[in-house]
Amino acid sequence: MELASNIDFQSLHSLYEKEKTEKEQLKAEVLKLQGHLQKLLQTVYGGKSERFVPNTAQLALDITAEPAAPATDLSKAKKIEYVKTETPKKRNLPELNGYLEYLPRVYETREPEHIPEGAQKIGQEEHLVVENKPGEVFLRVIVIPKYKLPELQDQDSIQIISAETPERPLAKCLAGASLLAQMLVDKFCDHLPVHRQQKRYERNGVSIPYNTLIDWTGKAVDKISILGPALLKEIIGSSYIHVDETGLKVLLGQQNNKTKKAHDGYLWCYNNSLLKLVYFDYQPGRGEKHTIGILKDFRGIIQTDGWRVYEGVAAKQKDITQICCLAHARRKFFESKTTEKDLAEYALTKFNALYEIERRCKEQQLCYEQIKNVRQREAIPILKELQEWMIAQYTTLLPTSPIRTAIVYSLERWERLCYYTNDGMLNPDNNPVERQIRPVALGRNNFLFAGSHKGAERLAMIYSLIGTCKLNDVNPYEWLKDVLDKINSWHINKIHELLPHNWKRNNCQQPTV
């Protein structure tokens, strides 16, 4: 009994509370690390789909916690390093000229429009243009006969007539419009790096130096870059666009040193989902100053993800209203499903109900006003119920819980997430612009980086034009071939007519694949 009386219960209680607090902190840290681990494993090994089949039983809120998945030992992972030792080939134009004599030739003759009677042919010129058919490279020989006019008594000199000399897409370049178009489509549509194109030409018996292909590709993009400002003007002139950005490695050479370093650049994407237009702008960074230059002339609504830069731009531009993406909010809950399954699935079920409303509106082909009425009647009650549930759950979850992070993300942007219900023209999410960024990711997996800031700007321009082709169901090869043939003689005040969507209207009689 004396032993019991000497026990300090207050000290024991303090120790208990201390141990309890430490245990909760460790539990929160474990949940956080497990969330990071699951996200890493999903990125490396898992699929990208965010498909979720709702379970209606979850709506009863009879929620029980499930044990977290066991941690994975990453110490057994092997590290693999690659060292590139091959040196780039030097440009060798005589090698290209040597192969021209082995190419099959297709002749065409261009006669003068009016040949006076008695004119005598005294010779001809031959202009060589390397052309391309899908799977075939051939040499088109344009024959231009020359004619000497009959001499008259009052003439002091001999008069010679001939057809006009053909204008090449690129000055002093053998590549024709079809070959240049195919090269651009191979690289920027099919993500085929230039060195793979070179190997393919070699398999067909044609050897074109690597540096020559690089030079032709860059100059062809520069030639059609004049269309860029016209495309941007049409996008910025609208009242509703999507904006997003994606990373792009840019290889930079150090001064007085042969080593090179990679710079983290960004392609900023501006998408008009209503007019089906897209514009990429390369910038060396991701800050506010790198997008406000384009958005300074915009008046209307921009739909973005939760990146704080867009909030700053909208705050400085009084005529810009920034709204957020419902899919990004949903993705936060989807990512927390591995650690807090029941809570996440309840939220995902609500998001699915919102998207089911959008699906029905699309299937019924409702007008904007009808879509707005459906959203006001059906979507707003679901959003209100979801908001009340988030507020209730917020106070019961650990601060580092992934599901709490998802709730905080949504509640901080709630008005901007629900803004789409006020106008049937608006999308609930930013998926249209993310679909335009997807080809950039495919390209990065193949050619890894841009060779310079100039190369990154070219990349942005050609992605803009080819992306607009795809949005408007225009065959990019046919469009590029026609535009490269015409652009040198096209009036600058009508340059917008060559943009893919305008070109399609003007060439509606021509079939596109």
Side-chain angles (χ1 to χ4, degrees), residues 168-230:
R168 302 173 185 271
L170 305 179
K172 299 180 181 179
C173 176
L174 289 172
S178 61
L179 179 60
L180 295 173
Q182 189 63 51
M183 290 169 55
L184 295 181
V185 168
D186 285 344
K187 181 172 174 61
F188 301 107
C189 284
D190 302 327
H191 316 291
L192 190 66
V194 173
H195 73 274
R196 295 183 192 170
Q197 295 185 44
Q198 182 190 27
K199 294 297 183 183
R200 187 175 62 180
Y201 289 130
E202 288 180 352
R203 287 195 298 269
N204 293 331
V206 182
S207 179
I208 303 178
Y210 175 80
N211 284 344
T212 300
L213 292 174
I214 288 287
D215 186 53
W216 287 355
T217 301
K219 288 182 177 179
V221 176
D222 288 341
K223 179 64 66 174
I224 61 175
S225 293
I226 194 174
L227 298 171

Side-chain angles (χ1 to χ4, degrees), residues 371-414:
I371 294 175
K372 174 186 173 180
N373 293 336
V374 172
R375 289 173 176 174
Q376 293 282 324
R377 184 175 63 252
E378 300 182 25
I380 287 183
I382 297 175
L383 288 166
K384 185 178 180 180
E385 183 180 350
L386 183 59
Q387 182 188 23
E388 292 173 352
W389 175 83
M390 288 183 183
I391 294 174
Q393 294 297 323
Y394 175 80
T395 57
T396 63
L397 297 168
L398 294 172
T400 56
S401 168
I403 193 75
R404 191 175 189 267
T405 302
I407 290 175
V408 170
Y409 178 91
S410 296
L411 290 179
E412 288 179 347
R413 301 164 176 82
W414 192 251

Side-chain angles (χ1 to χ4, degrees), residues 252-263:
L252 303 178
Q254 295 180 350
Q255 190 174 8
N256 300 326
N257 197 336
K258 293 183 179 180
T259 60
K260 296 184 177 182
K261 62 179 181 179
H263 171 75

Side-chain angles (χ1 to χ4, degrees), residues 109-361:
T109 302
R110 298 185 180 181
E111 298 282 359
E113 293 184 2
H114 303 287
I115 303 177
E117 185 176 356
Q120 180 182 356
K121 182 178 179 179
I122 59 172
Q124 64 185 29
E125 293 179 354
E126 291 189 355
H127 298 264
L128 305 181
V129 180
V130 181
E131 294 285 6
N132 176 76
K133 285 183 180 179
E136 178 184 358
V137 178
F138 64 93
L139 194 63
R140 180 162 62 107
V141 182
I142 302 174
V143 180
I144 301 181
K146 293 184 176 180
Y147 294 90
K148 182 181 73 173
L149 297 183
E151 297 183 17
L152 301 177
Q153 293 181 356
D154 56 347
Q155 285 183 338
D156 297 332
S157 60
I158 300 175
Q159 291 188 342
I160 298 175
I161 62 172
S162 63
E164 291 185 3
T165 302
E167 188 172 16
R168 302 173 185 271
L170 305 179
K172 299 180 181 179
C173 176
L174 289 172
S178 61
L179 179 60
L180 295 173
Q182 189 63 51
M183 290 169 55
L184 295 181
V185 168
D186 285 344
K187 181 172 174 61
F188 301 107
C189 284
D190 302 327
H191 316 291
L192 190 66
V194 173
H195 73 274
R196 295 183 192 170
Q197 295 185 44
Q198 182 190 27
K199 294 297 183 183
R200 187 175 62 180
Y201 289 130
E202 288 180 352
R203 287 195 298 269
N204 293 331
V206 182
S207 179
I208 303 178
Y210 175 80
N211 284 344
T212 300
L213 292 174
I214 288 287
D215 186 53
W216 287 355
T217 301
K219 288 182 177 179
V221 176
D222 288 341
K223 179 64 66 174
I224 61 175
S225 293
I226 194 174
L227 298 171
L231 177 60
L232 179 60
K233 182 179 179 181
E234 293 198 15
I235 293 176
I236 297 300
S238 63
S239 60
Y240 171 50
I241 61 174
H242 304 266
V243 187
D244 201 357
E245 80 290 334
T246 186
L248 176 68
K249 294 289 185 181
V250 180
L251 200 61
L252 303 178
Q254 295 180 350
Q255 190 174 8
N256 300 326
N257 197 336
K258 293 183 179 180
T259 60
K260 296 184 177 182
K261 62 179 181 179
H263 171 75
D264 291 325
Y266 286 87
L267 289 179
W268 294 76
C269 184
Y270 305 87
N271 171 233
N272 186 321
S273 59
L274 302 179
L275 300 179
K276 299 182 179 180
L277 307 175
V278 61
Y279 183 85
F280 286 90
D281 178 48
Y282 169 73
Q283 292 291 330
R286 199 187 178 198
E288 186 177 307
K289 64 180 181 180
H290 297 110
T291 185
I292 200 169
I294 285 182
L295 293 178
K296 64 181 177 62
D297 296 324
F298 177 73
R299 305 290 183 270
I301 298 172
I302 60 171
Q303 189 160 28
T304 70
D305 54 25
W307 180 230
R308 55 179 175 78
V309 162
Y310 301 115
E311 299 175 11
V313 171
K316 291 182 178 180
Q317 301 288 107
K318 296 182 179 179
D319 296 324
I320 291 181
T321 300
Q322 185 235 356
I323 64 176
C324 288
C325 170
L326 204 64
H328 276 79
R330 179 187 181 277
R331 188 171 300 146
K332 299 291 183 181
F333 289 96
F334 186 86
E335 291 172 353
S336 65
K337 189 161 65 74
T338 55
T339 55
E340 288 148 313
K341 184 174 183 293
D342 292 336
L343 291 173
E345 288 189 354
Y346 174 82
L348 292 173
T349 301
K350 292 296 184 181
F351 281 107
N352 278 20
L354 293 172
Y355 276 98
E356 176 63 22
I357 295 172
E358 300 302 313
R359 185 188 64 80
R360 284 192 284 105
C361 291

Side-chain angles (χ1 to χ4, degrees), residues 417-487:
L417 287 172
C418 301
Y419 191 93
Y420 81 97
T421 59
N422 299 322
D423 192 338
M425 174 188 70
L426 304 178
N427 281 280
D429 52 46
N430 217 28
N431 287 349
V433 72
E434 292 198 2
R435 284 192 289 269
Q436 303 312 310
I437 287 178
R438 195 168 300 154
V440 179
L442 294 174
R444 284 197 302 255
N445 292 337
N446 286 273
F447 46 78
L448 303 181
F449 48 76
S452 64
H453 288 306
K454 178 65 175 177
E457 291 172 1
R458 287 170 171 167
L459 191 69
M461 182 54 58
I462 193 64
Y463 274 146
S464 303
L465 297 170
I466 289 182
T468 302
C469 282
K470 293 181 178 179
L471 285 174
N472 290 274
D473 296 323
V474 173
N475 184 330
Y477 170 79
E478 295 294 339
W479 176 79
L480 282 166
K481 179 177 178 294
D482 188 56
V483 169
L484 286 168
D485 261 334
K486 294 176 177 178
I487 198 166

